[in-house]
Amino acid sequence: MTGLLYALASFGVFALVAGVVLAIAQKVFHVDGDPMVEKIDALLPQTQCGQCGYPGCKPYSEAVASSQAEVNHCVPGGERVMLQIADLMGVEPKELEAEAAAPMLAFVREDECIGCTLCIKACPVDAIIGAPKQYHTVIADHCTGCTLCVEPCPVDCIDMLVKPELIEHWSWPLPDTKRAQQGHERRDHHASHA
Amino acid sequence: MPLIMLSSPHAHGGDSIRVIMLTVILALLPAAGVSVYLFGWMALLLILTCMVTALLTEAACLKWMGRPVSALLDNSAALTGLFLALTLPAATPWWMAVLGSVLAIVLGKQVYGGLGYNIFNPALSARVILLISFPLHMTTSIIPMSALQPAIDLYDFSLCATLFFMGPEALSLGFDAISMASPLGHIKTEATLGVPVAEALAAYQYSYLDAFLGLEAGSIGETSALALLIGGIFLLARHSITWHIPFTYIVTVLVLAALFNGINPDQYASPMFHLFAGGLILCAFFMATDPVSSPVTPLGQILFGIGCGVLTWAIRTWGGYPEGAMFAVVLMNCAVPLIDHYCRPRVYGHGGRRA
Amino acid sequence: MPAMLRKIAQRLGMLQHSFTGGIHPDMHKVSADMPIEDCEIATLLVLPMKQHIGENCIPLVTVGDRVLRGQKIARSEGYLSVPVHAPTSGHVVKIEEHAIAHPSGMGLPSIFIESDGLDESDDSLDPISDWLNTEATVLRERARTCGLAGLGGAVFPTFVKLVQDKRFPVETVILNGIECEPWLTNDHRLMVEHAAEILEGMAIIKHMVGAGSGIVAIEDNKPDAVAAMRQALALRDDMEGVSVLALPTRYPQGSEKQLIYTLTGREVPAGKLPMHIGVLCQNVATTKALYDAVVLGRPLTERIVTVSGDALVKPANLRVRLGTPMRSLFARQGLEDLSGIQIVHGGPMMGERLKGPDVPVVKASTGLLAMSAEAMGEAHSVEQPCIRCGHCSEACPISLVPNLLADQCRSDQFEKAEQYDLFDCIECGACSYVCPSNIPLVHYFRYGKGQVALQRREQLFAEASRKRSEAHENRLLREKEEKAARRSRVRKTHAPKTDEAKAELVKGTASEPAVEEDK
């Protein structure tokens, strides 16, 4: 009987000591991290397209950080961004609702442009240059493919073209083996526990 | 039809899993041969039962997991079956052998995802489960045919078949009548009675030569140091294993044994005894070097070998069970991912060498 | 010899340095005894605008122009770029995209030249026979303008390396005549037949970088090349401090990092260049091309290509004009029907499988191999699970742990892979060669590296977009504030000053606005 009491007492004391040490460690070794909003914003592609339902990437980050929005709203970011945000927030990954389309670039058919500047005002990253009564044109290197310029155009002269693949940016795909596919499916688990 | 992307290199050395596993099976043949000499039909029945059960279980698991059943031709299940059989004592009843094989394949390998994903050595993990579940059966051996007075004629097939499938009761024999302790087991029990090691060995009529050749009691495949060394050197020559694990494992045990034997020879057995006793050589060359459950890097392998050696000797000397080798290897298997992470070799161009 | 014993022997000075790992594949040097043959000039030659590492070139000619052999037809763009020259005389018939020797099968803008059969040369560049008394900068410019790039296959612009940097003086010039890839024998034949020119090229390099010593490194499976180079060396009196060394045959001995370690015992630090440890490496073919450029005044218009492979009965070492269609090379060697044949551009260990033979020979074309489906099938069997045997790690010359790396790349754990030194991998293929599970390790590494590069690019673009978006917001805010400020100013300006004035305003009578001086 005394043996049992001794055992209980020693474990109890040990647990108490461990608890105190942990509490102290949490205070002493506390690291001031970056605000969550900045971290989430750093993961987003900055397309500023509004497809997430928020007027830009920063507002969406704020909504996710305050747990008002789900992690799976960013369409251009796709699955990779969703997994990264889920990992950061420590929540379960969620299926994307919309299929991410191939990257697009806006293109103004200059012959038809009437110089109304409505698309210039609509572009969130100022990627369209032009002036009233002058042709407008899209700076392809700056365009994020958000499609916000297409609607305002009164003569419908803006096309969304698929971004051409450059040989300089070509990269090897995964090997075409069953194991590679299986490994890729396992990445969800790795991403949330990495 | 679009061509699938194939990256270089477009040449291959020809090595395959099948060949690697087959090499290990070949390396175990000398030990299997000695086991048949010592334990006759019992050994053969055990080996056959374990291997066949292992293959059938693997086929069933592959089918259930939706993988091609032809994968069992990679010889890994056959090897696991053979391994398990060689670690079992000759008096193992048929159902224990079957249970062990099933556990080895299912719990030891397939449940983790199949070949390449298991953490523990499959055969050893099954052996450990059997040892803890049936300690009496797993720690006593039938008196071998090489002994001065074998209890029964193990070369008689019908006798062995009856013994294997129906137990010693069917022959109107008690279990004790046909069995004896292995040298390790014997000195352990004697040590609890306070008998010094040398005296216990003398009473056992222990001979170092017999131990080296394998003419002693024990699990069927672990007795013959000679046969196992032949197999081990074969493996080293074929580059199936590297020297790091066996060498460090055995040397660690020898060093520890020599140290303590020097301090108190009455209580601690000699290094030579430890070398030939139990499953040390079998584990060092064959079990600990199982590629899937051992570290990949040379430094990692050395640490792994040292850890196994320390644990083996400690369990043999101070632990509750007579033989510690299989526990040691299974325990060190847990540490392998950690060892692999911290023992990576120094990469070219990242300091260390004189520039 | 086991690696451990080898290391001990090296430490004791009993053995020369030897890099870790490596493999011994079958060498298949079936074309080693075949002298270089001149390949006939094709009727239509296609010159891609980028045959080097760096920026694309800009065409200088237009459709219809007549060009001569050696005439510059595309100028270099940016620093890391070398020009392209016409390989023979003829007319420019097209300038458009054409497929190049690239695993993706994609193309580059190219200049199409129809040869006129005359093979007239443009001799505008003067031969510099007295290069010893010529400024190194002049020689460097000559190397650049002649379009020289690393002909061992890496096609790095040569002139960039041939520089004297006082912070990093080069003591040793190493000529890489190793050619450790199976099947390829172009460097081998070049050394046997043009040893003297190669050595003069080496002398030029030594002069340009101010190096005191030099080593010509050749694998010991080429004894005739070693003998030829040694003979030629004995005939020169300006090559003190230069020696010809035969190194044990092992793949990848010819890899720059491994070669430098074997010859000097020094490692190139990660992220740094050989010149940071006082060494310069140059392939023997590039060195010969430098000789041609400086002493003969000839730009780079041709190279030696080994046409071989297990599906080719008549292998050869051909002197081929750049831009020649690869199909014609196979046809010349008797292989017309390419169905079921896999084409490898380069050697089997690091060369790329091409989607078709209708691509032109470029500066990087060291070899063209016609491999049978069986041979390729053996090399690319079904992938099985990794059994952690460790053979890949033993074979890796960089001492990486390929099986762990491949697993991380496969499951997209790229940060972990970078931590495990993914970017130190030289993609030599030794690991995949030894893997008993047939795992395409190098393929996984390439996938990982590509994804990391893609992510970095996307991150940079996202950063820039964020800045632009913020600038956009700030601009709108500023405009709003300015507008509001303007309105409030105008209101103040036109606001009534006294009560009577206010009352009058309400009644509708105009009253003189009080003029305020403000801006």
Side-chain angles (χ1 to χ4, degrees), chain C residues 40 91 102 108 110 114 122 143 151 161 201 217 252 317 321 340 431 448:
Chain C
E40 297 70 33
H91 290 88
H102 192 268
L108 279 178
S110 309
E114 196 177 303
D122 164 312
L151 297 179
K161 286 208 265 193
N317 300 297
R321 299 291 169 96
C431 52

Side-chain angles (χ1 to χ4, degrees), chain B residues 11-12 44 70 108 122 128 133-134 143 194 200 250 259 270 278-279 310:
Chain B
H12 191 262
L44 260 178
S70 56
V128 164
S133 315
F134 312 108
I143 301 169
I250 291 177
L259 196 65
S270 70
V310 168

Side-chain angles (χ1 to χ4, degrees), chain C residues 490-510:
Chain C
V490 167
R491 237 188 247 116
K492 272 206 212 132
T493 316
H494 294 270
K497 280 286 172 279
T498 60
D499 284 335
E500 296 98 35
K502 260 196 229 158
E504 288 215 26
L505 197 62
V506 168
K507 273 208 301 211
T509 26

